[in-house]
Amino acid sequence: MAYVSIYTVGRLNQPYDHPASREFFEVGDEVIRQAAKSGQLIEVFSPDGVPFPEEAKRGDGFPILTLTVWKSPQSLYSFTYSGQHKQALRDRNKWMEPYKEKHLSYVVWWTEKQKDVSWKEAFKRYNYYIQHGPTPYAFDFKHPFDEKGETCLIK
């Protein structure tokens, strides 16, 4: 059975211990609890001790990274654009730094084995997407691919 992974990268407006950033982390913790209750979230990787990649170091804010594994792109998409996560996306300007230029905030890819997902793999997929655009190797919700490498629609 194949799974789908998503890596996100952004920058907080304020230092990690600032009240606005603490609110972001509180909301994020609740979003992860809801995701876990959905039965669709397979794994959440901790960013603790992960060296920030170059793309996370650009800008004035404070880097924030996430890496999760889901049962399917449909379940990931559905969760992303509903409930508390949808509200968090609406509120992101309270917490996140706007980008001066076009910025890819996430990348999605298929994996056969959960154990193959890692921060190193996430950084590799993200950089590949930046260099080559969406392909079956690394894509986004606007240009998705199914596990056979065919373009598809996610509803």
Side-chain angles (χ1 to χ4, degrees):
M1 177 178 172
Y3 303 103
V4 69
S5 300
I6 184 170
Y7 162 66
T8 69
V9 59
R11 301 184 70 74
L12 294 170
N13 287 320
Q14 305 294 332
Y16 301 114
D17 60 352
H18 187 276
S21 295
R22 285 198 303 268
E23 178 189 22
F24 168 82
F25 289 115
E26 288 169 7
V27 169
D29 288 346
E30 182 57 33
V31 166
I32 290 297
R33 278 192 288 280
Q34 285 183 352
K37 287 179 187 176
S38 76
Q40 300 300 308
L41 177 67
I42 303 293
E43 187 167 354
V44 177
F45 290 79
S46 171
D48 294 341
V50 174
F52 292 116
E54 282 305 310
E55 73 272 2
K57 294 178 186 176
R58 293 186 202 114
D60 299 325
F62 301 83
I64 189 79
L65 311 174
T66 68
L67 177 58
T68 55
V69 180
W70 292 77
K71 286 188 176 178
S72 72
Q74 291 79 12
S75 63
L76 169 59
Y77 182 88
S78 177
F79 186 81
T80 299
Y81 297 108
S82 66
Q84 197 159 3
H85 191 274
K86 180 180 179 179
Q87 185 59 48
L89 288 174
R90 287 182 183 147
D91 292 342
R92 74 178 143 210
N93 290 339
K94 291 190 322 188
W95 308 305
M96 304 303 285
E97 177 183 82
Y99 287 90
K100 296 170 182 115
E101 66 234 14
K102 187 174 173 154
H103 167 76
L104 176 65
S105 61
Y106 72 95
V107 67
V108 179
W109 70 96
W110 286 97
T111 185
E112 286 294 320
K113 299 176 186 163
Q114 185 179 335
K115 68 179 179 130
D116 291 339
V117 180
S118 67
W119 287 104
K120 182 179 179 182
E121 183 67 18
F123 301 153
K124 185 168 84 174
R125 301 280 181 151
Y126 184 88
N127 289 328
Y128 180 92
Y129 184 103
I130 289 171
Q131 292 175 8
H132 304 283
T135 68
Y137 184 78
F139 53 92
D140 60 23
F141 290 136
K142 291 179 183 174
H143 309 97
F145 291 84
D146 65 20
E147 59 187 296
K148 296 176 185 166
E150 301 293 326
T151 58
C152 65
L153 291 174
I154 299 176
K155 297 180 181 181

